[in-house]
Amino acid sequence: MDWKQEAAQLKFTENKSWTETAEIIRAKYFPGLSSQKAWEKVRSALRRTDAYKKGRITYEDRPEPTAADIERYWQALKQFDEAASRLDCKRTRTSITIEDDKPVAVCFWGDWHIGARGLDYDQYDADAELIAKTDGLYWVGMGDYKDNASALVHAASTHENIVPTDLQDKIVEYKFRQTASNNLANCRGCHDDWDKRNANKDFVQHLCDITGAINLWHGGIINLTVGGVEYRIGARHKYKSESSLNTTNAHRTFINEHGPCDVVALAHKHIIDVQDTQRMREQTIYIRSGSYKRYDEHGQKLAGYEAIYGVPAVILYPDRKAMIGFRDVRLAIEMLQKLRT
């Protein structure tokens, strides 16, 4: 059997593809030819045979991917995913160290809703100035930094914005630069998530690029070491199991599912709440940050709700596991300054 007969058997009896037939013939008879040249040689020879012409439907240029082609694509896919992951800075767990031998405070600051009507803008400015200049005070962004009303999500909400969304971006960027030096991490809120939903844009990552903070995505665990003591902080804009009767029900659910935490901080509900309790025989502080958005069509429609302002904070000690929770960052600062003198 010469190579043409073997090629005919492979192609017409064993139903090998043109590519498979050519590769077998090349390896056995023409190892010096390229794959393309062997394919042309085999196809040219077999097209003259009766077996080829005998009532067969033939396709002159039908693609015939091989297992090797699929494997090559699979390897490229894995390499692409690895490269993409290196560019993805979102985290659900992070470790941060503050080198200090004096107590520090961390405040949980969110639901700014900049750009909306009815905000207490003066209070926001006063807080931003105080947070930026206080030694030993750090902050975690709790989401909804801009109101970001979108007709693609809630058409009626656009009537409550007094600033277009592109200018809201510029204002929030400016405000983050003013408080960049002590920003630890930032969560994505519901209104921030509209950017991702509508345009695949992670605005929170852009804010983290400005301050150097960790992008905590929708939220996660911060293992914060202060001096020689590690504190485990759970922080999210919102979490499941919210209750209108029990303001810390979602906090308990978070611990049930993610393990013990020293602090669990949430936002979203536009109310201030701090509870110092005990879970799993350890001190645990539940925190809910308030909002500057006093005027709220949605809240009024639900049940006459008006936002309750508040920037809660917790003081952490560097030499022993001890925490003090505060509903008002100003009271936390007063205590902090005395502890650090």
Side-chain angles (χ1 to χ4, degrees):
M1 181 185 297
D2 63 14
W3 73 267
K4 293 181 182 179
Q5 292 172 323
E6 185 171 349
Q9 180 177 326
L10 291 168
K11 176 62 181 167
F12 303 128
T13 303
E14 300 181 21
N15 294 317
K16 300 287 188 184
S17 69
W18 284 109
T19 300
E20 291 172 328
T21 301
E23 282 299 310
I24 294 172
I25 296 301
R26 183 181 73 85
K28 187 172 182 179
Y29 296 98
F30 310 108
L33 291 182
S34 66
S35 295
Q36 179 63 30
K37 290 294 185 182
W39 184 88
E40 293 173 354
K41 186 178 184 68
V42 168
R43 190 166 179 274
S44 176
L46 295 188
R47 286 184 67 185
R48 301 188 183 95
T49 65
D50 292 337
Y52 180 86
K53 298 175 182 178
K54 188 186 297 183
R56 288 183 175 273
I57 297 174
T58 60
Y59 300 91
E60 297 297 322
D61 55 358
R62 183 173 64 186
E64 296 178 329
T66 66
D69 294 327
I70 298 174
E71 178 63 26
R72 189 177 301 111
Y73 186 82
W74 172 248
Q75 294 301 327
L77 175 62
K78 292 197 295 183
Q79 291 176 9
F80 180 81
D81 183 70
E82 181 182 355
S85 296
R86 290 179 179 275
L87 298 177
D88 189 349
C89 297
K90 300 188 297 294
R91 294 291 179 267
T92 58
R93 187 179 302 273
T94 186
S95 296
I96 302 172
T97 299
I98 298 175
E99 296 290 353
D100 204 324
D101 58 358
K102 299 177 181 178
V104 303
V106 178
C107 67
F108 299 87
W109 195 20
D111 284 299
W112 302 352
H113 288 278
I114 287 175
R117 178 186 169 195
L119 251 72
D120 193 340
Y121 286 99
D122 289 336
Q123 183 65 66
Y124 172 84
D125 274 341
D127 289 347
E129 181 180 1
L130 188 63
I131 290 170
K133 74 178 185 181
T134 298
D135 178 55
L137 174 65
Y138 302 86
W139 64 281
V140 173
M142 299 302 293
D144 284 1
Y145 313 102
K146 56 181 178 177
D147 204 54
N148 203 29
S150 169
L152 298 175
V153 182
H154 296 297
S157 66
T158 59
H159 302 311
E160 294 185 43
N161 275 197
I162 56 176
V163 179
T165 54
D166 59 334
L167 294 183
Q168 290 182 29
D169 286 5
K170 292 184 181 298
I171 295 170
V172 173
E173 291 167 10
Y174 172 69
K175 292 301 182 181
F176 262 73
R177 288 190 178 92
Q178 290 181 325
T179 53
S181 63
N182 53 352
N183 180 207
L184 297 177
N186 298 304
C187 303
R188 185 193 300 174
C190 330
H191 290 238
D192 310 311
D193 197 51
W194 293 347
D195 284 338
K196 185 67 175 177
R197 170 177 169 176
N198 297 338
N200 194 32
K201 181 178 74 170
D202 188 354
F203 183 62
V204 174
Q205 180 58 54
H206 177 58
L207 299 176
C208 290
D209 291 340
I210 290 173
T211 66
I214 293 294
N215 182 352
L216 208 56
W217 204 356
H218 294 284
I221 299 293
I222 303 172
N223 293 307
L224 178 62
T225 300
V226 180
V229 181
E230 182 177 292
Y231 296 90
R232 194 169 190 260
I233 300 172
R236 287 183 62 97
H237 178 71
K238 64 177 182 178
Y239 201 63
K240 61 184 180 179
S241 302
E242 291 286 7
S243 167
S244 59
L245 299 177
N246 186 337
T247 58
T248 58
N249 196 58
H251 300 70
R252 292 180 176 84
T253 301
F254 185 93
I255 286 182
N256 290 342
E257 297 188 350
H258 295 276
C261 292
D262 300 300
V263 178
V264 178
L266 302 176
H268 182 61
K269 303 295 284 186
H270 292 197
I271 59 171
I272 180 70
D273 194 12
V274 175
Q275 293 188 26
D276 193 324
T277 184
Q278 193 173 40
R279 282 297 302 276
M280 303 178 185
R281 299 188 179 184
E282 297 290 339
Q283 180 190 13
T284 304
I285 298 179
Y286 296 146
I287 283 178
R288 173 90 65 177
S289 55
S291 175
Y292 298 98
K293 190 178 181 181
R294 303 295 182 86
Y295 177 95
D296 194 322
E297 182 74 26
H298 179 65
Q300 287 296 316
K301 182 166 61 176
L302 284 177
Y305 294 140
E306 180 178 332
I308 302 175
Y309 158 78
V311 182
V314 59
I315 289 179
L316 308 173
Y317 284 76
D319 56 345
R320 62 190 184 277
K321 193 71 167 287
M323 306 177 294
I324 308 174
F326 294 84
R327 289 171 57 92
D328 187 342
V329 68
R330 285 162 180 75
L331 294 177
I333 289 172
E334 288 181 14
M335 173 70 77
L336 181 68
Q337 290 173 337
K338 292 176 181 177
L339 292 171
R340 291 178 65 85
T341 54

